[in-house]
Amino acid sequence: MTKRPRGFIVVTGSELVRGDRRDLNGPFLAGELLRHGVEPARISIVGDREEELSEALAEGLEDADLCVVSGGLGPTHDDRTVELVARAAGVGLRLDEELHEQIGAISRAFAERLGRPYVDFESGVRKQATIPEAAHSLGLAGTAPGLVLEHGDTVVVVLPGPPAELQRLWRSALESEPVRRLLGRTKPPELRQLRFFGVSESTVAKALANAGGDGGGVEATICARDFEIHVDLVVEPGSEAHADELSQRLVAPLERQLFSRDERPIEQLVLDLCRERGLTLGAAESCTGGMVAERLTSVPGSSAVFVGAVVAYADEVKARDLGVPREVLQRHGAVSAETAAAMAAGARERLGADIAVAVTGIAGPGGGSDEKPVGLVFLHAEGPDGSRSRDFVFPGDRTSIRRRATVTALHLLRRLLEQTRDESA
């Protein structure tokens, strides 16, 4: 098996270390490195302190074939990435005249809009246009440049911190000569994905072990995500037949729980199933507060299928906007199978949707009882050819309960759509 080049990712920002913001760049870059045949050996998240960033950069430049750095490219005093990359590489700094002109033009226009003198921005413009010697610009995202330079056998890519800007300039980095030359030394592995629902992580782990486990050019990882179990297989060139056999043995005892063999999330699968059958989709949500709709509308093109949702938190809204009979609410309560069914029927009628899903439950931390504990959730999906209902007592805190209810509602829709598709086939 050919050894892949090692990748080292340095993500900077004190707000990430403090937990004020979640790191999105590290996981994105790790996935990109693996997809292009580079082994993501480490993600190092460091604050803006000089000594910590210097240590991480020194390690990356010494141990990695490709070191990707994000953040710290702004105009302020605590944006130290460029200076410290140059120091770690043992090179000086230079003013890039072309960058200076480009960033200056952007800053002048910004100053005019704010009604402030450009002189207030001059020092920051010069700072952002000052780059390590021998570094090449990847272009601008806002006023932050992306950079690439070589240090011995290591290629260093420096990218801005905002995820959208980083992802845009990462595409430019892949087209740069140093990165292309590095990637030319490796052949990307094949990435296979198996997605399960309704089975425990330990059961999937046991099935994987019984199937022979990873090895022989196939690396398997198992990750639990909100009641879904994701198995990712990294298949080295020449190991495809072994991966086929391993997948077949793993899936055999779990066939009913397997819902996907690709990267499509459950919300996209639901939309695709609706599109195949020419059905429109709606939702009625109580405890999830719009999270089902949020997942569905995150998929580009969802408007061709998803017509909308009613977030009916109060009983009055359930009755008024979804037509839930007040007798049902009084006799069975807002958190009940009967109310969930009435909410789904109301969503279909009021939204004009062919199929709808409803969620009602107790997310906590208060509001539970012996009869109806915190975590109790009722779900109901119905369409022109039938319906499906489930209830669960989800463990965890309020956030976990709501997320698990959301995912389960989407899978309930999937099973209803698959059931009616199979029956009509």
Side-chain angles (χ1 to χ4, degrees):
M1 182 175 66
T2 304
K3 185 178 180 181
R4 295 198 294 266
R6 282 168 52 87
F8 194 104
I9 300 165
V10 180
V11 180
T12 72
S14 294
E15 69 279 7
L16 299 173
V17 176
R18 291 192 302 262
D20 297 337
R21 270 185 34 231
R22 184 165 59 95
D23 171 37
L24 300 177
N25 291 335
F28 167 79
L29 290 169
E32 284 291 296
L33 293 186
L34 184 60
R35 188 166 69 87
H36 287 89
V38 177
E39 179 66 30
R42 182 177 301 180
I43 300 175
S44 181
I45 301 177
V46 296
D48 297 321
R49 293 180 58 182
E50 181 176 330
E51 57 270 27
E52 294 167 352
L53 181 52
S54 294
E55 182 179 346
L57 292 171
E59 186 176 359
L61 268 64
E62 180 180 350
D63 295 342
D65 298 289
L66 176 60
C67 179
V68 187
V69 188
S70 79
L73 303 183
T76 61
H77 72 284
D78 58 346
D79 293 309
R80 300 187 174 95
T81 296
V82 169
E83 172 193 349
L84 297 181
V85 166
R87 184 186 303 175
V91 299
L93 295 166
R94 66 179 177 88
L95 180 69
D96 186 295
E97 295 294 347
E98 184 176 354
L99 279 177
H100 189 253
E101 182 177 342
Q102 291 173 344
I103 299 171
I106 296 171
S107 297
R108 284 189 184 89
F110 185 64
E112 289 178 7
R113 288 199 301 271
L114 293 179
R116 291 173 55 185
Y118 172 68
V119 68
D120 293 351
F121 298 87
E122 279 184 319
S123 62
V125 170
R126 187 175 185 86
K127 183 177 187 298
Q128 289 187 287
T130 300
I131 65 175
E133 294 175 351
H136 301 282
S137 170
L138 298 172
L140 292 174
T143 59
L147 306 171
V148 61
L149 68 153
E150 296 178 271
H151 172 65
D153 295 328
T154 302
V155 177
V156 185
V157 175
V158 182
L159 300 169
E165 297 180 6
L166 176 140
Q167 292 174 26
R168 192 171 88 206
L169 290 184
W170 171 247
R171 292 192 290 270
S172 299
L174 291 173
E175 297 170 359
S176 68
E177 179 58 31
V179 175
R180 290 175 61 186
R181 192 164 58 246
L182 171 67
L183 298 183
R185 292 163 28 198
T186 185
K187 184 175 180 180
E190 180 187 355
L191 305 179
R192 302 188 185 184
Q193 300 170 325
L194 300 170
R195 302 293 185 251
F196 300 91
F197 178 79
V199 64
S200 69
E201 185 176 11
S202 61
T203 299
V204 175
K206 182 179 179 180
L208 176 62
N210 291 340
D214 55 8
V218 180
E219 179 183 349
T221 58
I222 301 175
C223 180
R225 297 179 182 174
D226 297 327
F227 276 20
E228 291 181 357
I229 308 298
H230 295 187
V231 179
D232 295 338
L233 302 177
V234 180
V235 184
E236 296 294 341
S239 301
E240 292 82 4
H242 176 55
D244 291 342
E245 184 178 358
L246 177 65
S247 297
Q248 185 177 2
R249 290 179 176 176
L250 168 60
V251 169
L254 304 172
E255 190 73 50
R256 291 186 59 191
Q257 288 80 33
L258 179 72
F259 71 88
S260 176
R261 290 180 180 268
D262 57 40
E263 74 284 355
R264 287 180 298 167
I266 179 58
E267 53 267 28
Q268 185 170 344
L269 289 172
V270 167
L271 292 167
D272 288 346
L273 286 167
C274 286
R275 191 176 291 109
E276 289 172 12
R277 297 198 55 204
L279 299 175
T280 56
L281 172 63
E285 304 185 56
S286 184
C287 64
T288 48
M291 293 171 70
V292 173
E294 191 280 329
R295 288 282 293 261
L296 290 166
T297 55
S298 70
V299 179
S302 58
S303 59
V305 170
F306 184 64
V307 297
V310 175
V311 177
Y313 213 59
D315 286 1
E316 179 60 32
V317 179
K318 292 180 177 70
R320 183 188 68 226
D321 294 348
L322 289 172
V324 177
R326 295 184 185 277
E327 180 185 357
V328 169
L329 292 168
Q330 292 168 359
R331 177 177 296 182
H332 301 285
V335 179
S336 64
E338 292 80 4
T339 294
M343 288 171 64
R348 289 185 67 201
E349 178 186 352
R350 302 296 174 91
L351 297 173
D354 297 313
I355 188 169
V357 66
V359 189
T360 181
I362 304 170
S369 65
D370 291 340
E371 181 183 358
K372 294 183 178 182
V374 169
L376 176 63
V377 175
F378 290 90
L379 306 107
H380 187 90
E382 73 170 48
D385 302 316
S387 63
R388 292 181 74 101
S389 298
R390 291 297 304 271
D391 62 272
F392 294 88
V393 178
F394 293 116
D397 59 12
R398 183 178 180 85
T399 298
S400 298
I401 291 167
R402 296 174 77 222
R403 287 173 59 184
R404 288 171 172 172
T406 298
V407 170
T408 306
L410 291 168
H411 279 282
L412 191 68
L413 277 170
R414 172 184 62 83
R415 286 175 168 165
L416 176 61
L417 288 161
E418 289 174 342
Q419 167 192 311
T420 54
R421 179 190 61 185
D422 295 341
E423 290 174 351
S424 61

